[in-house]
């Protein structure tokens, strides 16, 4: 099993290390490992987790296609959120 450092992961996917840190905070990137109980301990990524995460990302043929996909995803998320936040009438 090959482990990537946070910097290696960031370089592989073309983002800044700070962006990788934000992904971890928000839960938007691939799974990561920290061998220390300290929040300041070094972070690693399994290479196969990164490859799987990349493969699962949608790809587009145009920015218009991407925009339509993201719009539909946001709309679906709002509908789901509204469903859970509605208060039933008494």
């Amino acid at each position: 099993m090959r482990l990537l450092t946070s910097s290696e992961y960031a370089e592989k996917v073309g983002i800044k290390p700070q962006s990788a840190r934000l992904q971890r905070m928000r839960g938007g990137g691939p799974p990561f490992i920290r061998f220390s109980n300290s929040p300041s301990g070094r972070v690693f990524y399994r290479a196969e987790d990164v490859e799987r995460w990349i493969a699962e990302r949608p790809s587009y043929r145009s920015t218009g296609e991407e925009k339509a996909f993201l719009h539909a995803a946001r709309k679906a998320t709002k509908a789901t959120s509204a469903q859970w936040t509605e208060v039933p009438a008494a």
Side-chain angles (χ1 to χ4, degrees):
M1 169 188 342
R2 168 139 163 70
L3 295 177
L4 304 174
T5 65
S6 186
S7 295
E8 289 171 329
Y9 158 69
E11 184 177 333
K12 182 174 186 69
V13 298
I15 61 175
K16 294 180 180 181
Q18 299 91 319
S19 296
R21 195 172 309 117
L22 285 173
Q23 283 182 335
R24 286 194 302 275
M25 290 172 53
R26 297 177 180 158
F32 64 93
I33 302 167
R34 190 184 316 262
F35 292 109
S36 164
N37 289 335
S38 167
S40 61
R42 290 192 64 191
V43 168
F44 297 91
Y45 296 86
R46 289 184 186 100
E48 59 267 22
D49 287 343
V50 172
E51 293 297 331
R52 187 178 312 107
W53 181 77
I54 291 169
E56 290 171 353
R57 305 289 300 165
S59 58
Y60 313 99
R61 296 189 186 279
S62 69
T63 55
E65 182 182 355
E66 176 189 28
K67 185 177 179 179
F69 175 84
L70 295 174
H71 177 71
R74 283 189 200 104
K75 191 173 180 180
T77 300
K78 284 182 183 178
T80 302
S81 296
Q83 181 180 32
W84 289 102
T85 57
E86 288 178 7
V87 177

